[in-house]
Amino acid sequence: MASKDEVRRQLYAVGDMLDKEVKIELGLFLPIKTYLQDPLVAKQDPKFGFSTLNVKWEPGLRNGPTSARFAVVDYNGDTGTLVPPAKWDNAKREFIYGDTKLDENRVDEFQFHQLSVWTHLQNALLFFEEGSGMGRRIPWAFEGNRLIVVPHAGYGQNAFYDRHSKSLQFYYYEFDDKPVYTCLSTDIINHEFGHAVLDGVRPYFTETPSIETAAFHEFMGDISAILLILRNNDFRNRLAALYPGGLSDARELEFLAEEFGKTVQDMEYLRNAANDKTMEAVKDNPDPHYVSQVLTGAMYDILVKFSEHYLNVRKESPKKAFWHSVDRMQRVVVQPLDLLPPVDVTFRDYALAVLRAEELSNPTDPGGYRDLILDVFLKRGILNQQEVDSLRPRHRLYDSFHVDVFHSIEMISQSRAGAYRFLDDNRRVLFIPSNEDFVVADLYEVNKYSEVAHRLPRQYVLEYIWREDVSLEGVEFGALTGQIVTMLCGGTLVFDERGNILSQFQKPGSQLDPTQEPTDASRAAAEIGKRRLERFKANIAYNVRIGQLGINQESALGLLGTRMAPFLIRTVNGTTRFELSPHLNITENGTRGDRAWEISS
Amino acid sequence: MGNQLLVRLYNVDVGDCIYVRLPNGNEDFHILIDCGSLGVKSILKSALEHLEQELPVDAATGKKRLDLLVATHIHEDHIKGFDPEYFKNIQINHIWLSAVMDPAHSQAEHTLRLHNFASQKMRELAVSGLALTPELESLMALYSITNDGALDALRVDLPQANHILPKYVHAGRSSNDPDLNLGLNNQTTIHVLAPEKDIDHFYLGQAASNLQGFTAFSNRVRAEAAPAAVSAPANISASDFRLLQTRMLSNLLAFADLDGATQNNMSVVLLIEWRKRRLLFVGDAEWDNAFKDGTRNSSWNVMWNKRQAQLNSPIDFLKIGHHGSINATPWSSANDAEFEPNKILDAILPLPQAGSKPSAKAIVSTIRKNYPTIPAANLLVEIGKRVGNTQKYKSKLEEAGKNPNVLNLFAEFEAVMLDELQPTRTDIEKILTGQDFVEVTIDPAD
């Protein structure tokens, strides 16, 4: 007879076939009680204090906690010491320290903090990977598969994701003679994890001089925090009791990182998702956090409108309405990520991807959600009236892909080499210059859901990129004058199981291919490429002017965070590349120009 | 002796060694402001030997006479040359030091603690020979052991040798105060505009709690830590762990950086008013966005808010701060005229009216090392629009048959703006003239 462990492993292997409630019943989830939001909120309103999260059990759980995708390492850079890890007790199937379970009665112990941050991260990963999310395993952007999590990295008002060290680092500080641990803030954990996820699925977004692309990263952090907390049943049901009329005044949801905001900035929050900011209003602001609020605000508007729709049109109870709202929003927010171009994303790109993903998962749209979403993007200035007018009519769900050389979807999706041959044979229609040695950036298959457990047809996503060399000439480029930088170009193609094209995003280069006879389409693509190049150069010049570019201040001693510019410059193979810095200066307002990154020697 | 005021900056690598000669009745008044360098010490010895020749003989002692010695702040590039040996033939009549250099100053308790902490830690780290970026090496160099001797000389050795007491000065004091009387006639007043006396409050503010919190929590973390034998985590590889350590925020570097900035902001800023002329010597005073009471502030913002009556009008001479660094002259091209730093620069060095030439003068003591913002070319060009003693150095070098490429990192940081008007630079003037100093003269305006 099989042991309990063997049975559990077998059930784990077929877990995707089982409903979550069944899996909980079968012990495939571990109930772990931790802070719902953060210690300050818990103190102010105990009803928002703690919550039991059901974390997916894995056969390989170990001390740390350590799981397939996360390794908690409680190393402290200030003291150079390691705190002993929480221990996995396989017999009791719980994390312990000493001989007893780590639970909400041990919140002051560092091992509880280790378990708490890991719990939230496991929960967040599931949110992104499940069918209502991306419907696939999320890769990390670095070489490796375990994200290192450092819950007590050192003293400071900071927390960040860092690709180079494969880590999420959480710092702590003092307020009113008491410690504030950023690793205990659910919003901060989920925000930083949002960066890690986006970097994993679109690693070239960080190679940019664009404030808007940097802002998209911040948006991902904030919207992840909002949706993840709203997914929590205890939190959502409490909101339902407090705000039966809808989510429009739900301060507990719209306020982000309350404890951090209160203790660092003496405000009720670090950022507020309920805002009226438009593209026009933020166009001259150099701070990606600030600019991100337009898109966060737009998606929050959509969430609120969904809640009102379910309450007022469908006449659902607040509990049910809020559940349906977040369930739909998870798909609306996360599923479009796979459609996005591989480089140089804009808010407009994301808006178009949201609309296309919505069309694919909800083609008949009986609730009129598409119009609702369009109206929000128009109001925020993310799409203009002309675009909205052209997008309002329904489009075909799929189309034949008119290519020069046909390849079956089986051949394309078999390997990156197979996908390359397809792309190479069709450079002309994809506007890939004949002299560019492009690469297949990613190739994967996704299994997404529309409504709960309603599977969508399987999709295949193919991303490709190349680099267009750009010579910078002119005083506006400061120290970069005369240097060669690279503008990333490329595209994302999404196919269905039959090889029909479901979605296509292109970021063309600025030059017509001299070996091809120009067509109207290739001229139009080159025009778009030229406009991209102008924006690319303007972004560089702007960052030079306001001093947002700097070099990496990395050393054997660690990073000098206060002097790391938001955009870093690296030289690779004789060309200059840009890189978003880990956002180390949470409270820095970035108006000091070059002076901000100058070391005071 | 004459009717002109002379300001001379010796070419001392990255450093300041400034001589001011003031007409003062029948005799001139001789001032030395700073004597330091990040370069070799012998360069300072040579500068002082040159200066010594020009100083008058003190009738009482038979030595050469220096009326006032000022050390703006304790960084090596400002005090390394204060070696008693170099001054053995010079009678010094007065020594003014920054208030923070007084170890007993009660309102600098946290600032001094921060400095001592940063010094201790950075010196411990320095012996490990870690590879650092040029910027971080400069930061570490601030804590050189050689500074200790200079500081002792300023506080003890030189005062004793000259039978005087050093005066620790702060904003609001001037040569008109009886205890700071320098024997100047009524045509000259030397005002101290910075630092404010309450150093912890104005220049450290809430940042003072960071060191306390850091220390307290480090102790807490040590108490939680695994036994020392456990030096590596069991759940990641050794190489991943090493990489992680290099990519964590370093509080030691952050405190050293904070201390570096704070010490710069402790610079004695002197406004010399002489026969309706105004000369400003700013040490390495830094600027920030705006003054905020109760938080950490930079010196320029504090002066603008607390000493505006003296600062808010055009000056006739500026000793450009911090070797032309972007952080020591209040200006930002990214912001408009209402931005506080830009208001300050517009007040002291206004842009000339169309068709007129600026009459103010400025000098920067500088040399390009590996540091992009010392000097900051765009800042020098901006100052070049506001002062009269300017050069298009690229053309001047070419006319003199010198290749501008001799400037370190010419292509990276100099080429782009070297043919725009820039104020007098010690480094390029040395190439052009071979002379070890640059100087300007100021005529009286009364």
Side-chain angles (χ1 to χ4, degrees), chain A residues 63-64 66 71-73 75-79 81-84 108 110 146 148 150 153 155 158 160 162 164-167 169 171-174 178-179 181 475 478-479 545-546 551-563 582 584 589 591-595 598-601, chain B residues 125 130-133 135-136 138-140 142 209-210 213-214 217-218 220-222 224-226 230-233 235-236 240-241 243-251 253-254 257 260-261 264 286-289 298 322 325-327 332-335 339 371 373-374 378 412-413 416:
Chain A
N63 299 348
T66 306
V72 177
V73 173
Y75 176 73
N76 188 290
D78 291 340
T79 59
T81 54
L82 282 158
V83 174
D108 290 333
F110 279 17
R146 278 204 184 119
I148 298 168
V150 191
Y155 190 81
N158 226 324
F160 59 90
D162 178 47
H164 296 288
S165 59
K166 317 179 183 185
S167 68
Q169 299 178 28
Y171 291 75
Y172 51 82
Y173 55 96
E174 186 182 35
K178 291 190 181 65
Y181 297 103
V475 291
R545 186 167 70 80
I546 65 170
I551 56 167
N552 203 350
Q553 293 296 348
E554 179 184 311
S555 75
L557 298 176
L559 302 172
L560 178 49
T562 47
R563 303 299 180 193
L584 304 176
N589 61 8
T591 56
R592 297 185 295 170
D594 294 343
R595 190 256 171 279
E598 168 99 348
I599 292 175
S600 291
S601 57
Chain B
L125 290 168
L130 296 166
L132 300 173
T133 62
E135 291 86 346
L136 294 177
S138 303
L139 184 61
M140 195 166 266
L142 293 179
S209 64
N210 283 354
F214 168 82
F217 281 89
S218 294
R220 160 93 206 268
V221 169
R222 282 193 190 93
E224 297 275 352
V230 183
S231 57
N235 56 347
I236 62 171
D240 280 350
F241 186 47
L243 182 62
L244 175 68
Q245 289 171 306
T246 66
R247 297 283 304 180
M248 294 176 73
L249 294 179
S250 168
N251 271 308
L253 289 177
D257 184 46
N264 284 339
E286 296 192 4
W287 62 270
D288 212 323
N289 285 356
S298 288
H322 204 181
S325 163
I326 199 81
N327 68 12
S332 166
S333 65
N335 293 282
F339 187 52
Y371 206 29
T373 54
I374 292 185
N378 60 344
E412 290 87 344
F413 304 123
V416 63

Side-chain angles (χ1 to χ4, degrees), chain A residues 33 157 255-256 338 344 369 411 415 434 488 515 524 539 557:
Chain A
K33 198 166 187 179
Q157 296 167 348
F255 291 177
L256 287 158
D338 276 338
D344 194 24
Y369 302 136
M411 292 297 291
S415 67
S434 55
L488 286 167
T515 67
N539 281 327
L557 298 176

Side-chain angles (χ1 to χ4, degrees), chain B residues 54-199:
Chain B
E54 300 207 350
L55 291 174
V57 174
D58 178 61
T61 62
K63 294 180 179 179
K64 293 299 183 79
R65 190 190 85 230
L66 181 66
D67 295 296
L68 174 63
L69 182 157
V70 181
T72 61
H73 64 295
I74 62 172
H75 285 157
E76 190 177 17
D77 51 333
H78 293 260
I79 65 169
K80 186 154 91 180
F82 290 119
D83 183 334
E85 185 65 20
Y86 297 172
F87 288 85
K88 65 185 178 191
N89 299 324
I90 300 175
Q91 169 65 34
I92 305 168
N93 287 340
H94 303 276
I95 296 177
W96 283 10
L97 307 177
S98 171
V100 79
M101 292 161 80
D102 177 2
H105 187 59
S106 61
Q107 288 162 306
E109 185 189 344
H110 294 294
T111 306
L112 290 167
R113 191 178 299 146
L114 170 68
H115 179 68
N116 291 337
F117 175 84
S119 298
Q120 182 199 335
K121 294 297 177 188
M122 295 306 277
R123 284 176 183 182
E124 286 171 9
L125 290 168
V127 296
S128 62
L130 296 166
L132 300 173
T133 62
E135 291 86 346
L136 294 177
E137 276 180 1
S138 303
L139 184 61
M140 195 166 266
L142 293 179
Y143 299 96
S144 161
I145 201 95
T146 58
N147 249 14
D148 291 357
L151 202 49
D152 288 344
L154 288 163
R155 285 172 177 157
V156 182
D157 302 338
L158 289 174
Q160 280 180 358
N162 292 282
H163 311 293
I164 56 174
L165 289 173
K167 303 290 184 185
Y168 297 101
V169 298
H170 56 79
R173 307 299 308 279
S174 79
S175 59
N176 293 333
D177 295 346
D179 63 325
L180 295 184
N181 187 356
L182 301 170
L184 291 164
N185 64 22
N186 61 6
Q187 292 179 318
T188 305
T189 304
I190 303 177
H191 300 275
V192 181
L193 300 192
E196 291 294 325
K197 187 177 182 186
D198 192 348
I199 287 165

Side-chain angles (χ1 to χ4, degrees), chain A residues 63 188 194 197 201 222 224 242 261-262 305 307 318 328 353 380 408 454 527 539 546 582 592:
Chain A
N63 299 348
I188 290 177
V197 169
V201 301
D222 280 355
S224 301
L242 285 173
K262 178 68 189 167
K305 285 175 190 290
S307 75
R328 174 162 288 281
R380 296 279 176 167
S408 70
H454 292 182
E527 275 308 308
N539 281 327
I546 65 170
R592 297 185 295 170

Side-chain angles (χ1 to χ4, degrees), chain A residues 419-437:
Chain A
Y420 170 78
R421 290 306 296 263
F422 162 72
L423 295 167
D424 186 59
D425 286 342
N426 291 289
R427 281 176 183 259
R428 190 188 66 85
V429 293
L430 295 167
F431 315 116
I432 304 172
S434 55
N435 63 328
E436 294 290 357
D437 187 17

